[in-house]
Amino acid sequence: MLDESLLDAPEALARADTRGLLRGAAEAGARVRTAARHAAEAGIGDLKPDGRPRAVMVAGPGAAGSCTADLLGALSGGNCPVSLIAPTGVAPAPGALRWTLPGWAGPLDLLVLATPDGTEPGLPRLVEQAYRRGCAIVSVAPGQSPLADAVAQARGLMVPLATAPYGSAPYATGGYDPGGYGTDPYRGDLHAPGAPGTEDAALAEGALGDAPAPYGTPSVPQPVEPPGTAPDEMTGPALPGTLWALLTPLLLLVDRIGLVSAPPTALQQVADRLDQVAERCGPAIATYTNPAKTLAAELAGALPLLWTEGPVAAATGRRFSGLLAALAGRPALVAELPGALAAHGALLTGAFAGGADPDDFFRDRVEEPEALRARIVLLHEEPVGPISAVPTARELALAHETAFSELEPAEGTSLESAAELLAITDFAAVYLALASPDRT
C-alpha cells in the first residue's frame, strides 16, 4: 500500500526525505549548467580532435557507468560503438571493484570514466592500462581525488564533477521551500565559479609523457568541492541530479568529436526542460496535476511492465527500473516494443493479470494484502506514427483489462526528450520510495 496522503503533504515529504532525493531531482537543471561551466573551464570547447574515435568505452561504478554508457549509446544513433566496461569483484564495494580494458582497445579508441566518488582504486589502474595502450582518456569525477591525479599524470582530460550538498542546511534544518523547485536559486549554477587550483610542476609537464591521443590536455582545473558523495551512489544508483552532472560534460565532448549534436545552446535547452519538469513535479504540486506523483500512485501495488519505443525511451526505462529497485524496493520488467508484446504477453493472462482472481472482490481489505497486478507503463520519445507499436500495446492492455500509464515528452530534440522522460521517472521513483510504508 502507498500512503497517498503523504504525497500531498509537502512538509511531511520533506521530513521523510532524509537523503535529499527530491532536492537532487529538482536541481538537475542547475547541475547541467554547472557541469557545462566546469567542462568549459577544463577546455572541452577548445578540443580539435583528429576525427571520430573507433569506439567509446565507458567505465564507472554502478549506474554511474551503466546509465552513462546506455544514454550515450542511445543518443549517438549508432554513429560510433559505445560499450560499457563492466566491473568485476567479490563485492559491490568501491575498493573491491576492478576494471579490465578489452583486448582490442588501442590508440584509435576513447576511454571515458564517470564516477561520483573518485576514490575507487580500480579506476586509476584502468587509466594506467589505457595509457599504455595509447587510448585517449577523459574523466568526470570529483576534483582532488585519486582518479583526478591519475588522469592528470596520464595527460588525459579531467572535468570536475558538479557536486551538490545533499542534505544541505536549508533543506535539512527546516528551511525547505516546497514550492521553490524549479525557481531561484536552483535555476543558476549550484555554486559560484571556483578558482582553479595550481598543479605540481611535474604533473604539468606530464610524468608519463605526452598525451597519446588528441583528447589529452596538460591543464586540469581543480575545483573547491571535496571528493566523495552519498554512500549508496558509489556502486548503486546514480541519484537524481548526479546523472546529469556526469553526462553533461560527456555530451559536450561527444559533440566536439561529432558523435552527438549537443552544443552548449542545446544543453541550455535541456536545463530549461529539467526546470520545467521540476515545476510540474515538485512536492507542492497536487497529485492530480503532478505526472510524477500520479505515476507513483498508479504503480503502488503493481508489477510495472515498462514498455519502451525508441533508443532514448529504452535507456530511460532501464534507468527507471533500476531506481525503482534501488530506491523503492520495487521490481519492474523492461522490454522494447514490439518485442515486449510477446515477451510479457503471458503476464497479462496469468496470476498478474488485471482480472485474474474473481474472489479478490471478497478479500478482507484490512487483513489481506492486495494482490500484485501487472501495470503497463508506455514510454516513447516521439509522437505515435504509422509504424509505431504503441497503438497495438494500448489495444492489448485494454483487451486483457490491464491498467496502463503512458509518458510522452513534449516536442523537442532527442536531448530534451531524454531530459523530460528521465526527470519525470526520477521524481516518480522518489515519491514511490518516500510514500511506501516500508521506506527506510
Side-chain angles (χ1 to χ4, degrees), residues 150-171:
V151 172
Q153 292 181 27
R155 306 283 289 191
L157 177 62
M158 170 64 198
V159 181
L161 181 72
T163 59
Y166 275 61
S168 58
Y171 188 86

Side-chain angles (χ1 to χ4, degrees), residues 309 382-392:
E309 188 170 74
E382 297 178 356
V384 175
I387 59 172
S388 171
V390 171
T392 305

Side-chain angles (χ1 to χ4, degrees), residues 278-357:
E279 291 174 356
R280 294 166 53 204
C281 298
I285 307 302
T287 299
Y288 67 90
T289 59
N290 188 320
K293 288 183 179 180
T294 299
L295 182 57
E298 291 171 345
L299 294 183
L303 172 63
L305 305 181
L306 308 180
W307 291 1
T308 68
E309 188 170 74
V312 170
T316 301
R318 288 187 284 269
R319 170 169 169 79
F320 189 30
S321 173
L323 281 180
L324 288 174
L327 298 183
R330 303 296 183 93
L333 300 177
V334 191
E336 298 183 44
L337 293 171
L341 303 176
H344 293 170
L347 294 172
L348 306 184
T349 59
F352 297 104
D357 185 4

